[in-house]
Amino acid sequence: MTKVGSIIRGRIERKKPIERGVYQSAYNDKVKKIHDLANRTYHVEDIGSRRELLKIDNEIDCYLVGSDQMWNPWMLSPHYLLDFVPYKSNKPRYTYAASFGVDNIPESKKRIYEKYLPLFNCITVREPRAAELVEQLSGKTAKVVLDPTFLLSREEWREFSEQSDSVQKYNLDRYILCYFIGSPDFSHIDTVKKVAAEINARIVLLPMKESDYCLNDSDITVIADACPYDFISLIEKATLVCTDSFHAVVFSFLMETAFYYFPRFKHGDQYSQEARLQNIMQKFGLEDSFWKEDMSKEQICAHLNVDYRNGYKILEQEREICIRHLVDMLNGKLMNEEKDGSF
């Protein structure tokens, strides 16, 4: 492999910007830190023409796409199905931990999957339901693998997060980290305030919605400049994480931090992404971390002393298998999967 780590960056249509008020400057710092991190980590190329794309195709060994909700039908870009690959290209197409994020594909959206999925040489997905969808849409068998964030150990993520100074900058001690990215229909912050009072902790909020930037509450510290390494550091050093985010759950587990998962979608919502959470919570024995409205102070305090040892044993076994599979795939050893699921 000669160019592992390259990324082709396309043009993305941007939504109406969120009004961030007094936090706009901090948010600008966050964007700068993310750009600096990406430039240090990846080789990024902007492709502006078909000729440039053909040139890239001649230089690379394969195409690899993944992972989080990249095939979600409600926000799908055909680029994530590799629609841009030159017609005559003979370079293999792979996925690692591709995720639909939903349980069903609307009839109106199926045609694009049926067109491009059969062109992939090897497909791996993140959830069992995604494997079923791939077979229904393409006739191909997909292997279920771990989310890529699980492929690094706690020590490796800790080393990555050491460049963060958020805890010192905001003078944080005992705190609950809140990261809610979903529906405004839920008053999760109000619930967390009660939990904070029970365990004598401050609330730290990573803002995602416009309403988060409008908070005027002396009991809540809003951190608008947190980039990926700050995110991991803040999770590791928190007393408790309260979230509706898949990856906040992942990193709470990885960094051995107690967490509660709050609902993001109403029951029966066609946009619901809860299946992916159910999958990892069951896999690693984290069911006690689903928030329940009738939690007592004693239950909450006991929950802070997490014991993930059984989950870590499962993770270590699966991590080894998934890394081996990824390496074999990139080395061209898994070009033609059979219908029975063997490679």
Side-chain angles (χ1 to χ4, degrees):
M1 306 298 294
T2 57
K3 286 185 177 293
V4 173
S6 294
I7 291 179
I8 298 175
R9 182 170 58 197
R11 294 182 175 85
I12 300 175
E13 182 179 350
R14 301 198 179 276
K15 298 178 181 179
K16 179 183 177 181
I18 291 176
E19 293 294 331
R20 298 185 176 85
V22 296
Y23 297 107
Q24 186 62 53
S25 177
Y27 178 81
N28 292 342
D29 290 341
K30 167 185 174 177
V31 172
K32 183 179 184 305
K33 287 195 289 185
I34 291 174
H35 286 169
D36 290 345
L37 177 63
N39 290 333
R40 294 197 310 269
T41 308
Y42 305 112
H43 174 69
V44 180
E45 295 197 27
D46 288 297
I47 306 301
S49 68
R50 175 64 60 175
R51 180 177 296 178
E52 292 176 2
L53 188 55
L54 289 171
K55 180 176 181 292
I56 290 292
D57 187 73
N58 290 328
E59 295 175 350
I60 66 170
D61 297 288
C62 67
Y63 293 92
L64 175 66
V65 294
S67 63
D68 186 38
Q69 296 195 70
M70 55 178 266
W71 289 345
N72 188 312
W74 303 111
M75 47 187 174
L76 177 68
S77 165
H79 296 337
Y80 298 141
L81 288 162
L82 297 181
D83 73 324
F84 58 84
V85 176
Y87 177 73
K88 294 184 179 180
S89 174
N90 62 356
K91 302 300 170 65
R93 310 178 192 201
Y94 303 133
T95 76
Y96 183 80
S99 173
F100 292 89
V102 296
D103 286 342
N104 298 290
I105 306 298
E107 287 294 327
S108 61
K109 306 279 186 178
K110 287 183 177 180
R111 182 173 296 181
I112 190 168
Y113 297 103
E114 293 168 345
K115 178 179 180 179
Y116 289 109
L117 286 180
L119 301 179
F120 281 86
N121 299 90
C122 183
I123 298 176
T124 66
V125 293
R126 195 173 65 183
E127 296 92 17
R129 179 56 183 156
E132 295 173 359
L133 290 174
V134 167
E135 183 166 349
Q136 293 170 12
L137 295 165
S138 69
K140 285 182 169 289
T141 299
K143 182 178 179 64
V144 179
V145 295
L146 293 172
D147 185 89
T149 51
F150 283 121
L151 299 187
L152 296 183
S153 67
R154 183 190 309 122
E155 291 70 28
E156 289 170 309
W157 282 120
R158 182 175 291 139
E159 181 180 355
F160 170 71
S161 69
E162 284 177 352
Q163 53 197 306
S164 172
D165 64 352
S166 291
V167 170
Q168 295 79 16
K169 179 178 178 180
Y170 290 93
N171 194 28
L172 303 178
D173 186 12
R174 183 178 174 84
Y175 63 93
I176 298 175
L177 182 69
C178 293
Y179 182 61
F180 296 118
I181 61 180
S183 172
D185 296 333
F186 300 106
S187 56
H188 294 328
I189 289 293
D190 293 336
T191 301
V192 175
K193 284 183 179 181
K194 297 175 184 177
V195 175
E198 295 283 18
I199 67 172
N200 190 29
R202 184 167 185 79
I203 296 175
V204 172
L205 174 69
L206 299 181
M208 284 295 294
K209 303 181 291 294
E210 190 161 316
S211 58
D212 294 339
Y213 291 96
C214 299
L215 285 174
N216 184 18
D217 192 321
S218 60
D219 293 328
I220 299 176
T221 299
V222 177
I223 299 182
D225 63 348
C227 71
Y229 48 77
D230 298 315
F231 180 73
I232 297 170
S233 177
L234 287 165
I235 286 176
E236 181 182 16
K237 294 168 183 174
T239 300
L240 177 69
V241 173
C242 291
T243 188
D244 61 1
S245 157
F246 176 89
H247 282 104
V249 166
V250 169
F251 281 110
S252 295
F253 173 60
L254 282 173
M255 308 313 290
E256 208 169 3
T257 301
F259 72 91
Y260 281 122
Y261 178 78
F262 289 69
R264 193 196 306 183
F265 301 91
K266 292 182 177 180
H267 181 70
D269 190 333
Q270 65 175 332
Y271 301 106
S272 177
Q273 302 158 13
E274 305 290 21
R276 59 192 186 134
L277 248 300
Q278 294 281 353
N279 178 248
I280 66 163
M281 299 285 260
Q282 292 170 3
K283 181 189 293 287
F284 299 119
L286 306 175
E287 292 93 337
D288 288 345
S289 293
F290 284 108
W291 172 256
K292 301 177 184 65
E293 289 299 331
D294 57 352
M295 292 279 191
S296 68
K297 178 179 179 179
E298 291 72 23
Q299 288 174 307
I300 295 170
C301 291
H303 186 71
L304 300 181
N305 300 312
V306 293
D307 184 354
Y308 295 146
R309 285 177 293 182
N310 290 335
Y312 290 153
K313 291 177 183 177
I314 297 170
L315 174 58
E316 288 171 7
Q317 294 170 354
E318 296 213 7
R319 177 187 287 143
E320 182 179 349
I321 293 170
C322 291
I323 290 175
R324 189 187 317 126
H325 184 86
L326 178 59
V327 171
D328 286 347
M329 184 169 63
L330 293 177
N331 284 329
K333 296 180 181 179
L334 303 175
M335 289 290 287
N336 297 302
E337 73 273 35
E338 300 295 335
K339 190 71 170 62
D340 64 1
S342 61
F343 289 87

